[in-house]
Amino acid sequence: MSTDTRIEHDLLGDREIPADAYWGIHTLRAVENFPITAQTLQSNPDLIRGLAAVKLAAARANHDLGLLDEERRDAIVAACKEIIDGALHDQFPIDVIQGGAGTSSNMNANEVIANRALEILGHPRGTYSVISPNDHVNLSQSTNDAYPTAVKLGTIFAIKRLLIALGELEDAFAAKADEFHDIVTMGRTQLQDAVPMTLGQAFGSYAVTIGEDRERLGEAESLVHEINLGATAIGTGLNAPAGYAEAVRDQLEQLTGLPLVTAPDLVEATQDVGSFVHLSGVLKRIAVKISKICNDLRLLSSGPRAGFNEINLPAVQSGSSIMPGKINPVIPEVVNQVAFEVIGNDVTITAAAESGQLQLNAFEPVILHSLHKSISHLESAARTLTTRCIGGITANPELTRAAVEHSIGLVTALNPTIGYQAATMIAQEALKTGRGVAELVLEHGLMTASELERLLRPERLANLTTA
């Protein structure tokens, strides 16, 4: 910034603004008022692009409806396109958590777009008699419809990246399921031996659960496509011309390629944040299920000598400052922590949604910030789990097979052949002596070696075939 300044005026008086700043007096006051997180709007480029998209669509709609001349429209549109392409994001210095229901974010965008449009037309920044942040960039809008619409656009942009990351994670688990198809292991319930299965089935179940979550996230995204643009302050459409809601939605659809829907009741839509609550719940579901998978990975790889040691996670980092040779499961651990954060964000979103009053929810900034963290951190966590962990997992088939053969759970597979009473006797003796089930069955003459070998084939133990 240069030391030169310009003077801008608002309801509270005059302030000096750096001459080369694209933001103005409302942004300055917001920076001073909200020193909360040290994270600015620049940390959420999806929101900034969403704001610019709304302003671009509004400029075109207002021109088509005879409210904005061609020269101003073209300048505003050009400025918005630059921002959508990534320019001027450093001109959004306001904290992500702010009072005013997003007014500061909306005005920050209005000021940056107005001043860049002025520059395009050859006028000095701050010449608001030519292009005004309020009268021209914010024409036919209120923060209460422009900001929520921008929030929804930014959220949709982020969700689409998360869906891709989850798809890659699903594919990685599916590939491991194929790789481990014939490796028999012991299934467990309540951390106790249950019945045999294959390691492929275990990893296949992870692929299925991620796939289910992708479907749920896609469904939640569809609800976010309903917008209230055209509602203005409380949903009555005051100060927006007839036909504006439809016109601006059409422009926004053409710009983004998204199937947007104008809410049937704009008064209800302006106060409602239900789609965000639902989305947050789905994000929490994803986080909980991925965290559970990571718990499994940590448990199955525990050891290597005193734990399960059924799988090996790729060694990506030495594990201890005091214990030589120790390798920790740091990738599943970091994903666990992201899940804990997402669960906490869901509590924040729930409280903020419930605290709305009458015709507006004033707490959308913290809802947006929490959603942004949940979506972006889940995306990063999923990609990290895929690239730094899942693809490099190997199995220890000798150990898993030995665990099956030594487990009393194996007797369940033999129960239909030798009978429940004999199976119980074998189980009790195995527990008492520490000997294997197969060994005892042969010793007691309950089956022949060939019969036992057939029944203990991996595909039969895992119920992959009735052979």
Side-chain angles (χ1 to χ4, degrees):
M1 290 289 185
S2 70
T3 57
D4 296 333
T5 61
R6 66 178 186 264
I7 302 296
E8 291 196 13
H9 177 82
D10 68 358
L11 176 67
L12 302 182
D14 294 338
R15 292 295 301 270
E16 289 187 348
I17 306 296
D20 57 358
Y22 288 90
W23 45 264
I25 189 169
H26 197 111
T27 300
L28 175 63
R29 295 198 190 278
V31 169
E32 295 171 342
N33 286 336
F34 311 124
I36 306 301
T37 68
Q39 285 185 264
T40 69
L41 298 183
Q42 186 180 0
S43 67
N44 189 346
D46 289 324
L47 172 65
I48 295 175
R49 292 188 178 96
L51 286 164
V54 168
K55 302 302 174 180
L56 191 158
R60 286 176 171 168
N62 282 316
H63 170 75
D64 291 346
L65 294 170
L67 299 182
L68 189 67
D69 63 84
E70 185 175 345
E71 183 180 49
R72 288 189 174 95
R73 178 203 63 184
D74 289 347
I76 292 172
V77 166
C80 290
K81 285 183 175 179
E82 291 179 359
I83 294 171
I84 291 171
D85 290 338
L88 301 180
H89 285 207
D90 62 338
Q91 298 296 306
F92 289 79
I94 301 173
D95 198 282
V96 291
I97 296 182
Q98 56 196 246
T103 297
S104 296
S105 297
N106 184 43
M107 284 304 301
N108 191 171
N110 289 335
E111 289 172 342
V112 171
I113 292 166
N115 281 307
R116 177 58 186 138
L118 286 167
E119 191 173 57
I120 289 170
L121 294 179
H123 297 282
R125 298 171 203 175
T127 314
Y128 295 148
S129 59
V130 178
I131 295 183
S132 163
N134 291 91
D135 294 337
H136 300 119
V137 182
N138 202 60
L139 182 61
S140 303
Q141 305 155 62
S142 162
T143 289
N144 302 346
D145 64 347
Y147 178 74
T149 300
V151 167
K152 288 188 171 183
L153 292 178
T155 299
I156 293 168
F157 299 156
I159 289 173
K160 290 189 180 302
R161 292 194 299 272
L162 175 55
L163 285 167
I164 292 172
L166 290 175
E168 293 168 351
L169 181 59
E170 180 185 356
D171 291 344
F173 279 125
K176 283 296 163 183
D178 289 340
E179 181 181 343
F180 298 153
H181 180 268
D182 296 327
I183 298 178
V184 68
T185 188
M186 200 66 205
R188 299 171 179 90
T189 57
Q190 296 151 283
L191 290 180
Q192 305 299 305
D193 295 357
V195 295
M197 65 185 302
T198 68
L199 204 55
Q201 287 175 313
F203 277 79
S205 72
Y206 301 150
V208 170
T209 203
I210 298 299
E212 289 178 347
D213 284 349
R214 288 181 64 233
E215 291 180 2
R216 300 294 84 74
L217 182 58
E219 293 165 358
E221 181 205 342
S222 67
L223 299 180
V224 184
H225 285 77
E226 183 180 277
I227 61 174
N228 73 326
L229 200 55
T232 65
I234 64 170
T236 60
L238 182 67
N239 293 342
Y244 172 77
E246 294 78 11
V248 74
R249 184 203 62 230
D250 289 345
Q251 291 290 347
L252 204 53
E253 279 190 325
Q254 293 175 34
L255 178 63
T256 63
L258 298 173
L260 303 174
V261 177
T262 299
D265 188 315
L266 292 176
V267 172
E268 187 277 337
T270 303
Q271 61 191 275
D272 178 55
V273 292
S275 62
F276 296 142
V277 175
H278 179 70
L279 172 61
S280 179
V282 172
L283 295 171
K284 181 178 75 171
R285 167 187 165 135
I286 294 170
V288 167
K289 292 171 73 175
I290 290 181
S291 188
K292 185 271 179 189
I293 292 172
C294 287
N295 293 341
D296 288 356
L297 297 177
R298 291 190 295 113
L299 190 59
L300 292 173
S301 66
S302 61
R305 298 292 176 84
F308 281 30
N309 195 29
E310 295 191 357
I311 63 172
N312 309 296
L313 304 185
V316 297
Q317 182 176 320
S318 57
S320 175
S321 62
I322 189 174
M323 293 171 280
K326 189 169 184 285
I327 301 294
N328 290 331
V330 294
I331 302 302
E333 286 174 350
V334 76
V335 176
N336 283 135
Q337 292 173 79
V338 169
F340 306 155
E341 179 192 35
V342 172
I343 294 167
N345 290 339
D346 183 61
V347 174
T348 298
I349 291 166
T350 301
E354 183 276 334
S355 296
Q357 298 162 323
L358 302 177
Q359 278 68 58
L360 184 68
N361 187 301
F363 307 113
E364 281 197 33
V366 77
I367 291 176
L368 165 65
H369 181 52
S370 300
L371 282 174
H372 171 65
K373 289 191 298 179
S374 290
I375 296 171
S376 62
H377 292 181
L378 274 175
E379 178 197 348
S380 297
R383 293 190 189 282
T384 299
L385 187 60
T386 299
T387 60
R388 302 289 293 171
C389 184
I390 305 305
I393 292 176
T394 58
N396 297 319
E398 297 82 5
L399 289 176
T400 61
R401 179 78 189 198
V404 171
E405 293 176 349
H406 192 68
S407 170
I408 64 166
L410 186 64
V411 79
T412 303
L414 307 179
N415 184 40
T417 301
I418 66 175
Y420 189 87
Q421 185 174 353
T424 301
M425 180 268 293
I426 293 295
Q428 290 174 332
E429 187 173 350
L431 280 173
K432 182 178 180 180
T433 64
R435 297 170 66 189
V437 167
E439 177 186 0
L440 291 172
V441 167
L442 290 174
E443 183 178 291
H444 285 279
L446 297 172
M447 298 178 67
T448 66
S450 61
E451 289 174 327
L452 187 62
E453 182 181 2
R454 181 181 64 82
L455 291 178
L456 296 185
R457 288 169 58 190
E459 59 268 26
R460 185 184 183 282
L461 288 175
N463 202 30
L464 299 176
T465 176
T466 58

